[in-house]
Amino acid sequence: MKKRLIGWALLSAMLAGLVGCGQTSTDQDAANSDASQSSGSSDVITVAMWDSPQEPGFTEILKKFTEETGIETRIEVTPWDQYWTMLEAAATGGSMPDVFIMHSNEIAKYAENDMLLDLTDYISKSDKIDMSKYPQDIVSLYQNEDGAQLGIPKDIDTVALWYNKTMFDEAGLAYPDDTWTWEDVAAAAQKLTKADGSQYGFAVSPDNDQGGYYNIIYDYGGYVLSDDQQTSGFDQPGTIEGLTVLMDMEKNGYMPPYTTLVENGDCTLFMSGQVAMTLQGSWKVNDLTNNEYVKENCDVVIKPMGPNNVRTTIYNGVAWAAPANSSDPETAWKVIEYLGSQEAQQMQSDLGVMMSAWEGTSDNWINAHPEFNLQAYLDVMDDTMVIFPHSRRTVNWANMIKEEIGAGFTGEKTPEETCKNIAEQMNQILKETN
């Protein structure tokens, strides 16, 4: 398989430049040599993740694994913003966690450089893993160019509309339901917005792509990335139309100012009672359902539709993976095999950790928080499902979109100008990285 090692080489050089901060180069070489042998060599298997609200549930799941196998595990949680820096540094130093969560944004980089354990043969011999039970789009995300399976799906996520019942009651408005369109959202947002700036009708942050504005793009017949992953869809009429609806809410004052959204985030603003409605992915459910204000005032409903009753949800799923240089791949596989099994996936759902990837195991997820209509996240699966847009270097153009889309929210550019600017830059990135 063709390798592209420039990124890793540069990272190695950067890390080498930091040696003088506390270690000599000789010390660092020795440390790296030790680290390259350490993955999987400990009696305790490290399991790395970024989502701290999921830690209690996985502590329970892995406790049962230990009871069944005698294999000890230790969960290591690193916040999302630092997780990938940690993993890159660990990969370069040869000391990656024994088992860790991989994301569709990052898989290509690790796959191209043979950093991940090939699970194909392990899967073929397993009586616990059945790859046909997972969504096949998610299965495919974690394969390399040769079709080797590098990750076992952990979960599946969808998107729904959260709303503040108290604010709706005060405004004399009926709650959102499954007939709502984006025009209904905009009309309600106007009535729910207070002139003094203490309350806004709707919010979607510039960095909320999968859980936010990507969905409205597809609802209006647009797309983010072509099926062949070669061209941007931001210059398509449907994309421009959908984002115009969203940006007009900002322009008309029904959404918080752009700077407020950037500094605080839509979910935080909603949980603090400053926003009446917001789109949120199912990965945010633990944060929302554990918030006291949300418990007292809010609920969730299936997301709105676009024209012609088109309702689309962007979905994705992460996967369990292990390093290719593990000194104990058999034990690492036993952990991954258990976490991907129907038993553990059912526990993940039953404990309210996350919607599980194994077919039929997510129904009980809603029972963890019966006071909320979490069924909305399952019901949307009956509509159009679009796998999270991705390519060989998703992060490159996804980060660019989050930066450039602000021009449309602030009024610096029109929605059409913003979208066409994004399309131009995205096409260039795709050309350079594909």
Side-chain angles (χ1 to χ4, degrees):
M1 180 174 63
K2 183 179 180 181
K3 298 183 182 180
R4 303 173 179 87
L5 298 174
I6 296 176
W8 292 109
L10 288 174
L11 181 60
S12 299
M14 291 171 62
L15 292 174
L18 298 176
V19 166
C21 295
Q23 292 179 300
T24 66
S25 58
T26 302
D27 292 336
Q28 184 64 42
D29 289 342
N32 284 344
S33 177
D34 291 342
S36 67
Q37 301 299 319
S38 67
S39 183
S41 62
S42 172
D43 291 337
V44 179
I45 299 296
T46 57
V47 179
M49 60 179 62
W50 60 76
D51 199 337
S52 58
Q54 295 190 24
E55 182 179 5
F58 276 106
T59 297
E60 290 297 313
I61 293 170
L62 289 170
K63 178 181 178 182
K64 187 168 184 181
F65 168 74
T66 299
E67 290 172 353
E68 294 181 6
T69 64
I71 299 170
E72 297 286 342
T73 64
R74 181 179 68 250
I75 296 175
E76 297 180 346
V77 179
T78 305
W80 171 268
D81 290 343
Q82 293 117 48
Y83 183 86
W84 300 108
T85 303
M86 174 277 294
L87 202 61
E88 283 192 0
T92 305
S95 57
M96 297 174 79
D98 298 301
V99 174
F100 49 89
I101 296 177
M102 179 53 58
H103 192 277
S104 58
N105 279 357
E106 301 284 343
I107 179 65
K109 177 168 57 180
Y110 290 86
E112 288 166 2
N113 292 283
D114 293 339
M115 291 287 184
L116 302 178
L117 182 66
D118 185 349
L119 306 176
T120 308
D121 288 343
Y122 293 103
I123 293 168
S124 68
K125 300 172 185 175
S126 174
D127 59 359
K128 294 183 176 67
I129 297 297
D130 181 350
M131 299 305 289
S132 70
K133 296 297 184 180
Y134 308 112
Q136 292 308 295
D137 281 336
I138 297 178
V139 170
S140 298
L141 284 175
Y142 299 101
Q143 295 174 344
N144 65 16
E145 293 176 351
D146 300 325
Q149 195 69 41
L150 305 177
I152 298 296
K154 169 187 173 291
D155 53 40
I156 183 171
D157 47 50
T158 59
V159 180
L161 179 72
W162 284 80
Y163 65 98
N164 190 307
K165 295 186 292 183
T166 303
M167 292 180 182
F168 271 79
D169 291 341
E170 291 174 350
L173 297 177
Y175 298 155
D177 59 29
D178 61 3
T179 69
W180 269 40
T181 66
W182 282 107
E183 291 182 355
D184 293 317
V185 171
Q190 178 182 5
K191 297 174 182 177
L192 291 160
T193 298
K194 294 185 176 180
D196 63 1
S198 62
Q199 178 178 305
Y200 293 91
F202 186 72
V204 166
S205 298
D207 65 347
N208 188 3
D209 48 17
Q210 181 193 344
Y213 54 86
Y214 277 11
N215 297 270
I216 196 170
I217 286 173
Y218 285 87
D219 283 342
Y220 276 79
Y223 60 90
V224 172
L225 180 68
S226 62
D227 291 340
D228 63 5
Q229 302 180 346
Q230 299 299 310
T231 57
S232 171
F234 268 82
D235 54 0
Q236 297 300 303
T239 303
I240 297 170
E241 184 180 2
L243 288 177
T244 297
V245 171
L246 191 61
M247 292 172 180
D248 278 352
M249 280 194 268
E250 164 80 8
K251 177 182 176 181
N252 293 326
Y254 311 151
M255 287 176 58
Y258 174 75
T259 52
T260 301
L261 284 168
V262 170
E263 292 172 1
N264 298 281
D266 47 21
C267 192
T268 298
L269 291 170
F270 181 77
M271 291 191 297
S272 61
Q274 298 178 63
V275 169
M277 295 179 288
T278 182
L279 278 185
Q280 294 297 323
S282 53
W283 58 92
K284 284 288 190 179
V285 164
N286 285 322
D287 291 326
L288 289 156
T289 56
N290 288 319
N291 179 271
E292 290 302 320
Y293 179 84
V294 172
K295 287 180 181 179
E296 295 176 6
N297 298 282
C298 305
D299 205 353
V300 59
V301 68
I302 196 168
K303 66 172 290 295
M305 298 180 289
N308 303 315
N309 297 328
V310 174
R311 184 178 3 245
T312 309
T313 185
I314 306 297
Y315 79 103
N316 197 14
V318 298
W320 295 107
N325 71 339
S326 171
S327 62
D328 191 358
E330 296 290 338
T331 303
W333 165 248
K334 287 179 182 178
V335 176
I336 292 175
E337 180 184 41
Y338 182 77
L339 291 171
S341 69
Q342 184 176 9
E343 177 185 359
Q345 295 263 302
Q346 188 64 64
M347 285 186 68
Q348 177 177 268
S349 175
D350 293 347
L351 292 168
V353 176
M354 187 66 178
M355 294 162 60
S356 299
W358 190 287
E359 181 183 359
T361 57
S362 287
D363 292 347
N364 289 344
W365 174 70
I366 64 174
N367 297 329
H369 302 285
E371 66 274 27
F372 295 100
N373 178 36
L374 298 184
Q375 184 67 38
Y377 284 102
L378 300 180
D379 288 346
V380 77
M381 293 182 180
D382 294 332
D383 294 286
T384 303
M385 300 270 285
V386 173
I387 191 67
F388 182 57
H390 62 281
S391 68
R392 200 181 136 257
R393 287 290 181 270
T394 307
V395 172
N396 295 27
W397 51 261
N399 287 342
M400 177 275 297
I401 291 171
K402 293 172 185 178
E403 293 175 2
E404 296 296 333
I405 203 168
F409 284 109
T410 61
E412 179 184 343
K413 295 179 181 178
T414 67
E416 181 174 6
E417 290 170 340
T418 301
C419 289
K420 289 186 175 179
N421 172 53
I422 289 173
E424 182 178 355
Q425 293 192 51
M426 187 172 169
N427 283 331
Q428 184 61 37
I429 293 171
L430 290 167
K431 182 179 179 180
E432 293 172 352
T433 56
N434 281 342

